[in-house]
mmCIF file with all atom_site columns, all heavy atoms in Angstrom:
data_model
loop_
_atom_site.group_PDB
_atom_site.id
_atom_site.type_symbol
_atom_site.label_atom_id
_atom_site.label_alt_id
_atom_site.label_comp_id
_atom_site.label_asym_id
_atom_site.label_entity_id
_atom_site.label_seq_id
_atom_site.pdbx_PDB_ins_code
_atom_site.Cartn_x
_atom_site.Cartn_y
_atom_site.Cartn_z
_atom_site.occupancy
_atom_site.B_iso_or_equiv
_atom_site.pdbx_formal_charge
_atom_site.auth_seq_id
_atom_site.auth_comp_id
_atom_site.auth_asym_id
_atom_site.auth_atom_id
_atom_site.pdbx_PDB_model_num
ATOM   1   N N   . ARG A 1 121 ? 5.675  20.572 15.657 1.00 96.00 ? 121 ARG A N   1
ATOM   2   C CA  . ARG A 1 121 ? 5.817  21.900 16.278 1.00 96.00 ? 121 ARG A CA  1
ATOM   3   C C   . ARG A 1 121 ? 4.818  22.853 15.751 1.00 96.00 ? 121 ARG A C   1
ATOM   4   O O   . ARG A 1 121 ? 4.631  23.032 14.546 1.00 96.00 ? 121 ARG A O   1
ATOM   5   C CB  . ARG A 1 121 ? 7.207  22.440 15.843 1.00 96.00 ? 121 ARG A CB  1
ATOM   6   C CG  . ARG A 1 121 ? 8.478  21.585 16.287 1.00 96.00 ? 121 ARG A CG  1
ATOM   7   C CD  . ARG A 1 121 ? 9.711  22.100 15.521 1.00 96.00 ? 121 ARG A CD  1
ATOM   8   N NE  . ARG A 1 121 ? 10.780 21.147 15.905 1.00 96.00 ? 121 ARG A NE  1
ATOM   9   C CZ  . ARG A 1 121 ? 11.760 21.487 16.728 1.00 96.00 ? 121 ARG A CZ  1
ATOM   10  N NH1 . ARG A 1 121 ? 11.953 22.623 17.197 1.00 96.00 ? 121 ARG A NH1 1
ATOM   11  N NH2 . ARG A 1 121 ? 12.761 20.579 16.914 1.00 96.00 ? 121 ARG A NH2 1
ATOM   12  N N   . HIS A 1 136 ? 13.948 26.023 17.664 1.00 94.00 ? 136 HIS A N   1
ATOM   13  C CA  . HIS A 1 136 ? 14.891 25.253 18.297 1.00 94.00 ? 136 HIS A CA  1
ATOM   14  C C   . HIS A 1 136 ? 16.202 26.070 18.307 1.00 94.00 ? 136 HIS A C   1
ATOM   15  O O   . HIS A 1 136 ? 16.828 26.293 17.231 1.00 94.00 ? 136 HIS A O   1
ATOM   16  C CB  . HIS A 1 136 ? 15.083 23.907 17.641 1.00 94.00 ? 136 HIS A CB  1
ATOM   17  C CG  . HIS A 1 136 ? 15.577 22.856 18.517 1.00 94.00 ? 136 HIS A CG  1
ATOM   18  N ND1 . HIS A 1 136 ? 15.022 21.575 18.521 1.00 94.00 ? 136 HIS A ND1 1
ATOM   19  C CD2 . HIS A 1 136 ? 16.536 22.820 19.485 1.00 94.00 ? 136 HIS A CD2 1
ATOM   20  C CE1 . HIS A 1 136 ? 15.705 20.831 19.328 1.00 94.00 ? 136 HIS A CE1 1
ATOM   21  N NE2 . HIS A 1 136 ? 16.648 21.582 19.892 1.00 94.00 ? 136 HIS A NE2 1
ATOM   22  N N   . HIS A 1 139 ? 22.205 24.511 18.570 1.00 95.00 ? 139 HIS A N   1
ATOM   23  C CA  . HIS A 1 139 ? 22.842 23.562 19.429 1.00 95.00 ? 139 HIS A CA  1
ATOM   24  C C   . HIS A 1 139 ? 23.634 22.424 18.754 1.00 95.00 ? 139 HIS A C   1
ATOM   25  O O   . HIS A 1 139 ? 23.555 22.395 17.527 1.00 95.00 ? 139 HIS A O   1
ATOM   26  C CB  . HIS A 1 139 ? 21.746 22.909 20.316 1.00 95.00 ? 139 HIS A CB  1
ATOM   27  C CG  . HIS A 1 139 ? 20.832 22.037 19.435 1.00 95.00 ? 139 HIS A CG  1
ATOM   28  N ND1 . HIS A 1 139 ? 19.815 22.562 18.669 1.00 95.00 ? 139 HIS A ND1 1
ATOM   29  C CD2 . HIS A 1 139 ? 20.786 20.812 19.239 1.00 95.00 ? 139 HIS A CD2 1
ATOM   30  C CE1 . HIS A 1 139 ? 19.102 21.562 18.030 1.00 95.00 ? 139 HIS A CE1 1
ATOM   31  N NE2 . HIS A 1 139 ? 19.694 20.483 18.375 1.00 95.00 ? 139 HIS A NE2 1
ATOM   32  N N   . ASP A 1 141 ? 24.176 18.159 18.871 1.00 97.00 ? 141 ASP A N   1
ATOM   33  C CA  . ASP A 1 141 ? 23.370 17.018 19.390 1.00 97.00 ? 141 ASP A CA  1
ATOM   34  C C   . ASP A 1 141 ? 24.053 16.139 20.419 1.00 97.00 ? 141 ASP A C   1
ATOM   35  O O   . ASP A 1 141 ? 23.480 15.475 21.191 1.00 97.00 ? 141 ASP A O   1
ATOM   36  C CB  . ASP A 1 141 ? 22.865 16.171 18.159 1.00 97.00 ? 141 ASP A CB  1
ATOM   37  C CG  . ASP A 1 141 ? 21.687 16.731 17.546 1.00 97.00 ? 141 ASP A CG  1
ATOM   38  O OD1 . ASP A 1 141 ? 21.077 17.695 18.016 1.00 97.00 ? 141 ASP A OD1 1
ATOM   39  O OD2 . ASP A 1 141 ? 21.254 16.286 16.451 1.00 97.00 ? 141 ASP A OD2 1
ATOM   40  N N   . ILE A 1 166 ? 16.951 14.383 10.357 1.00 98.00 ? 166 ILE A N   1
ATOM   41  C CA  . ILE A 1 166 ? 15.552 14.813 10.448 1.00 98.00 ? 166 ILE A CA  1
ATOM   42  C C   . ILE A 1 166 ? 14.922 14.380 9.109  1.00 98.00 ? 166 ILE A C   1
ATOM   43  O O   . ILE A 1 166 ? 15.475 14.747 8.033  1.00 98.00 ? 166 ILE A O   1
ATOM   44  C CB  . ILE A 1 166 ? 15.313 16.294 10.696 1.00 98.00 ? 166 ILE A CB  1
ATOM   45  C CG1 . ILE A 1 166 ? 16.230 16.816 11.783 1.00 98.00 ? 166 ILE A CG1 1
ATOM   46  C CG2 . ILE A 1 166 ? 13.905 16.573 11.002 1.00 98.00 ? 166 ILE A CG2 1
ATOM   47  C CD1 . ILE A 1 166 ? 16.054 16.323 13.158 1.00 98.00 ? 166 ILE A CD1 1
ATOM   48  N N   . PHE A 1 178 ? 15.147 24.358 8.789  1.00 98.00 ? 178 PHE A N   1
ATOM   49  C CA  . PHE A 1 178 ? 16.310 23.845 9.555  1.00 98.00 ? 178 PHE A CA  1
ATOM   50  C C   . PHE A 1 178 ? 17.505 24.640 9.115  1.00 98.00 ? 178 PHE A C   1
ATOM   51  O O   . PHE A 1 178 ? 17.746 24.922 7.935  1.00 98.00 ? 178 PHE A O   1
ATOM   52  C CB  . PHE A 1 178 ? 16.515 22.425 9.119  1.00 98.00 ? 178 PHE A CB  1
ATOM   53  C CG  . PHE A 1 178 ? 17.643 21.733 9.844  1.00 98.00 ? 178 PHE A CG  1
ATOM   54  C CD1 . PHE A 1 178 ? 17.567 20.961 10.866 1.00 98.00 ? 178 PHE A CD1 1
ATOM   55  C CD2 . PHE A 1 178 ? 18.864 21.940 9.197  1.00 98.00 ? 178 PHE A CD2 1
ATOM   56  C CE1 . PHE A 1 178 ? 18.695 20.389 11.463 1.00 98.00 ? 178 PHE A CE1 1
ATOM   57  C CE2 . PHE A 1 178 ? 20.057 21.428 9.807  1.00 98.00 ? 178 PHE A CE2 1
ATOM   58  C CZ  . PHE A 1 178 ? 19.940 20.630 10.892 1.00 98.00 ? 178 PHE A CZ  1
ATOM   59  N N   . HIS A 1 211 ? 23.314 23.487 14.733 1.00 98.00 ? 211 HIS A N   1
ATOM   60  C CA  . HIS A 1 211 ? 22.091 23.639 13.951 1.00 98.00 ? 211 HIS A CA  1
ATOM   61  C C   . HIS A 1 211 ? 20.950 24.077 14.899 1.00 98.00 ? 211 HIS A C   1
ATOM   62  O O   . HIS A 1 211 ? 20.978 23.947 16.097 1.00 98.00 ? 211 HIS A O   1
ATOM   63  C CB  . HIS A 1 211 ? 21.757 22.275 13.299 1.00 98.00 ? 211 HIS A CB  1
ATOM   64  C CG  . HIS A 1 211 ? 21.505 21.101 14.269 1.00 98.00 ? 211 HIS A CG  1
ATOM   65  N ND1 . HIS A 1 211 ? 22.613 20.498 14.846 1.00 98.00 ? 211 HIS A ND1 1
ATOM   66  C CD2 . HIS A 1 211 ? 20.410 20.617 14.620 1.00 98.00 ? 211 HIS A CD2 1
ATOM   67  C CE1 . HIS A 1 211 ? 21.920 19.626 15.701 1.00 98.00 ? 211 HIS A CE1 1
ATOM   68  N NE2 . HIS A 1 211 ? 20.674 19.641 15.609 1.00 98.00 ? 211 HIS A NE2 1
ATOM   69  N N   . VAL A 1 213 ? 16.376 25.381 14.416 1.00 97.00 ? 213 VAL A N   1
ATOM   70  C CA  . VAL A 1 213 ? 15.143 25.452 13.628 1.00 97.00 ? 213 VAL A CA  1
ATOM   71  C C   . VAL A 1 213 ? 14.526 26.815 13.746 1.00 97.00 ? 213 VAL A C   1
ATOM   72  O O   . VAL A 1 213 ? 14.340 27.392 14.847 1.00 97.00 ? 213 VAL A O   1
ATOM   73  C CB  . VAL A 1 213 ? 14.053 24.419 14.065 1.00 97.00 ? 213 VAL A CB  1
ATOM   74  C CG1 . VAL A 1 213 ? 12.822 24.527 13.112 1.00 97.00 ? 213 VAL A CG1 1
ATOM   75  C CG2 . VAL A 1 213 ? 14.687 23.098 14.000 1.00 97.00 ? 213 VAL A CG2 1
ATOM   76  N N   . ARG A 1 221 ? 4.495  21.830 11.725 1.00 98.00 ? 221 ARG A N   1
ATOM   77  C CA  . ARG A 1 221 ? 5.651  21.173 11.119 1.00 98.00 ? 221 ARG A CA  1
ATOM   78  C C   . ARG A 1 221 ? 5.831  19.796 11.727 1.00 98.00 ? 221 ARG A C   1
ATOM   79  O O   . ARG A 1 221 ? 6.036  19.650 12.872 1.00 98.00 ? 221 ARG A O   1
ATOM   80  C CB  . ARG A 1 221 ? 6.876  22.033 11.386 1.00 98.00 ? 221 ARG A CB  1
ATOM   81  C CG  . ARG A 1 221 ? 8.202  21.472 10.840 1.00 98.00 ? 221 ARG A CG  1
ATOM   82  C CD  . ARG A 1 221 ? 9.264  22.337 11.556 1.00 98.00 ? 221 ARG A CD  1
ATOM   83  N NE  . ARG A 1 221 ? 10.557 22.250 11.003 1.00 98.00 ? 221 ARG A NE  1
ATOM   84  C CZ  . ARG A 1 221 ? 11.586 21.495 11.396 1.00 98.00 ? 221 ARG A CZ  1
ATOM   85  N NH1 . ARG A 1 221 ? 11.285 20.517 12.319 1.00 98.00 ? 221 ARG A NH1 1
ATOM   86  N NH2 . ARG A 1 221 ? 12.796 21.550 10.837 1.00 98.00 ? 221 ARG A NH2 1
ATOM   87  N N   . TRP A 1 227 ? 18.436 9.551  15.670 1.00 98.00 ? 227 TRP A N   1
ATOM   88  C CA  . TRP A 1 227 ? 19.793 9.629  16.225 1.00 98.00 ? 227 TRP A CA  1
ATOM   89  C C   . TRP A 1 227 ? 20.416 8.229  16.195 1.00 98.00 ? 227 TRP A C   1
ATOM   90  O O   . TRP A 1 227 ? 19.716 7.232  16.614 1.00 98.00 ? 227 TRP A O   1
ATOM   91  C CB  . TRP A 1 227 ? 19.842 10.281 17.577 1.00 98.00 ? 227 TRP A CB  1
ATOM   92  C CG  . TRP A 1 227 ? 19.442 11.763 17.406 1.00 98.00 ? 227 TRP A CG  1
ATOM   93  C CD1 . TRP A 1 227 ? 20.295 12.768 17.202 1.00 98.00 ? 227 TRP A CD1 1
ATOM   94  C CD2 . TRP A 1 227 ? 18.188 12.327 17.570 1.00 98.00 ? 227 TRP A CD2 1
ATOM   95  N NE1 . TRP A 1 227 ? 19.639 13.981 17.183 1.00 98.00 ? 227 TRP A NE1 1
ATOM   96  C CE2 . TRP A 1 227 ? 18.312 13.640 17.481 1.00 98.00 ? 227 TRP A CE2 1
ATOM   97  C CE3 . TRP A 1 227 ? 16.914 11.753 17.786 1.00 98.00 ? 227 TRP A CE3 1
ATOM   98  C CZ2 . TRP A 1 227 ? 17.203 14.558 17.517 1.00 98.00 ? 227 TRP A CZ2 1
ATOM   99  C CZ3 . TRP A 1 227 ? 15.765 12.618 17.932 1.00 98.00 ? 227 TRP A CZ3 1
ATOM   100 C CH2 . TRP A 1 227 ? 15.987 13.961 17.633 1.00 98.00 ? 227 TRP A CH2 1
HETATM 101 O O1  . LIG B 2 .   ? 13.311 19.356 13.706 1.00 64.22 ? 301 LIG B O1  1
HETATM 102 C C1  . LIG B 2 .   ? 14.488 19.743 13.343 1.00 64.22 ? 301 LIG B C1  1
HETATM 103 O O2  . LIG B 2 .   ? 14.613 20.124 12.194 1.00 64.22 ? 301 LIG B O2  1
HETATM 104 C C2  . LIG B 2 .   ? 15.694 19.682 14.234 1.00 64.22 ? 301 LIG B C2  1
HETATM 105 C C3  . LIG B 2 .   ? 15.535 19.124 15.558 1.00 64.22 ? 301 LIG B C3  1
HETATM 106 C C4  . LIG B 2 .   ? 16.767 19.049 16.348 1.00 64.22 ? 301 LIG B C4  1
HETATM 107 O O3  . LIG B 2 .   ? 17.726 19.524 15.980 1.00 64.22 ? 301 LIG B O3  1
HETATM 108 C C5  . LIG B 2 .   ? 16.824 18.137 17.632 1.00 64.22 ? 301 LIG B C5  1
HETATM 109 O O4  . LIG B 2 .   ? 15.779 17.728 18.035 1.00 64.22 ? 301 LIG B O4  1
HETATM 110 O O5  . LIG B 2 .   ? 17.968 17.926 18.119 1.00 64.22 ? 301 LIG B O5  1
#
Side-chain angles (χ1 to χ4, degrees):
R121 297 166 187 255
H136 205 137
H139 65 282
D141 281 349
I166 313 295
F178 175 100
H211 62 281
V213 180
R221 174 195 197 263
W227 289 272

